[in-house]
Amino acid sequence: RTGILDVAGIATFRNDVNIGAAVTISESGIEASGIGITVANINGTQIGGRRNLIINGAMMVAQRGTSATGSSANGYATVDRFKATQNGTDAYIEQHQVNVSLGTTPYTEGFRKAFQVKNGNQTSGAGAGDYIRIFTALEGQDIANSGWNYLSSSSFITLSFWVKSSVAQNFYGFIRTTDGTMQQYPFSTGSLSADTWTKVTKTIPGNSNLNFANDTGGAFELWIHQYSGTNETASDVAENAWAAYDGTAKMPDNTSTWYTTDDATFEITGVQLEVGSQATPFEHRSYGEELQLCKRYYHLWVEGSNQFICFGDFYTGTQTDGGVQLPVEMRAQPSIEANTGSNYYIIYTNATQSYIDGGLTSFRTHKRAVLWYAAADTARTAGHANRWVTANSDAKIAFNAEL
């Protein structure tokens, strides 16, 4: 507000000031047009605070590993919070966390990692039921509490990302909401030049049919397809518009060139979803902070040999119990993922050792703690304490609460 002293020396205020014909200063910010003034873009919302609703959009965190091939490449396999899935393929895809090359625009904007899907040799061609696609999802409460008035067509969220394909063509994707009556919002990347990074931006309005429960369930899904056959596409699907979800018409018919090219690659980074009608510069977070956010969904506890796991006890002579208190509350009660094999885990007690060769069975699991039991290969004294340690380079224990 602008203060003006009247003849009595009393200040009065008004809500905005016009400077010439082109600049208005008001409580909501500065509007300027046609006069060469550049101001910070606050995107119609708060200046401070978090903007990006996507976790690990810069693809920095890869707790599961940096490469996956064969059947292990189908699903969550490398970069956290993003997965690639396939159907009907003649050869498995590969997943990789790759480096962004020096001299490219994403590199100059601070991106060093990307999520890559590499195609196999699809010798039988592009079938109607075939697909390869990338996926990430948000909890309902992430959207419900974001500040987006998703029921209003005059309120917007903006999706932006960098993408690169080794094959020049257009690709399709869609957003799907899963609370209430499912809705879909198809979009395309536009024609990409081969091996060239392109920034894609989509401004998405609200819609009265949308619904997001204020809970931890998956409710907002982002799908980007490298290929999808005609079982899931239709020529008359409208882009950039909300419609009732149709599993047989999710998006327009796909070009099959990438899919039928052996070793074709598709890379993505800088994925940002923010409230407002414009794409602002990417919200870079530190690696440590991004890692903590990822651990809500997947928590790698130990990996490799000679790693301390926890303290436990022998509940019976052969049943040994273990457990950990998690430093990050997970989205839901997690499942245990444990690599197993001969002598993968050592149990030390009374200056002697036993081995765990089989699986770990969870019990009394909570979002903040996990307890488990397993069978030791050598009987010990019930009630004695023990120490769990990994004993093989392939040993791994992780906790999974993914959407």
Side-chain angles (χ1 to χ4, degrees), residues 268-285:
I268 186 170
T269 193
V271 183
Q272 180 151 290
L273 181 72
E274 59 190 305
V275 177
S277 59
Q278 299 180 50
T280 63
F282 185 83
E283 181 191 352
H284 289 278
R285 295 189 280 252

Side-chain angles (χ1 to χ4, degrees), residues 3 9-10 31 53 113-114 191 268 295 319 334 348 351 357 369 381:
I10 299 174
E31 296 180 7
L53 300 174
K113 298 294 181 180
S191 296
I268 186 170
K295 285 183 176 181
Q319 178 181 315
Y348 291 100
D357 297 331
T381 303

Side-chain angles (χ1 to χ4, degrees), residues 169-185:
Q169 68 167 73
N170 176 51
F171 295 87
Y172 288 102
F174 64 95
I175 291 165
R176 181 172 72 167
T177 67
T178 56
D179 283 339
T181 302
M182 292 193 293
Q183 302 291 309
Q184 65 186 33
Y185 188 93

Side-chain angles (χ1 to χ4, degrees), residues 78-99:
T78 54
V79 172
D80 279 62
R81 302 299 304 121
F82 288 82
K83 69 179 179 180
T85 57
Q86 60 192 333
N87 185 69
T89 54
D90 301 305
Y92 285 114
I93 60 172
E94 298 178 12
Q95 288 189 37
H96 302 281
Q97 182 196 48
V98 296
N99 294 324

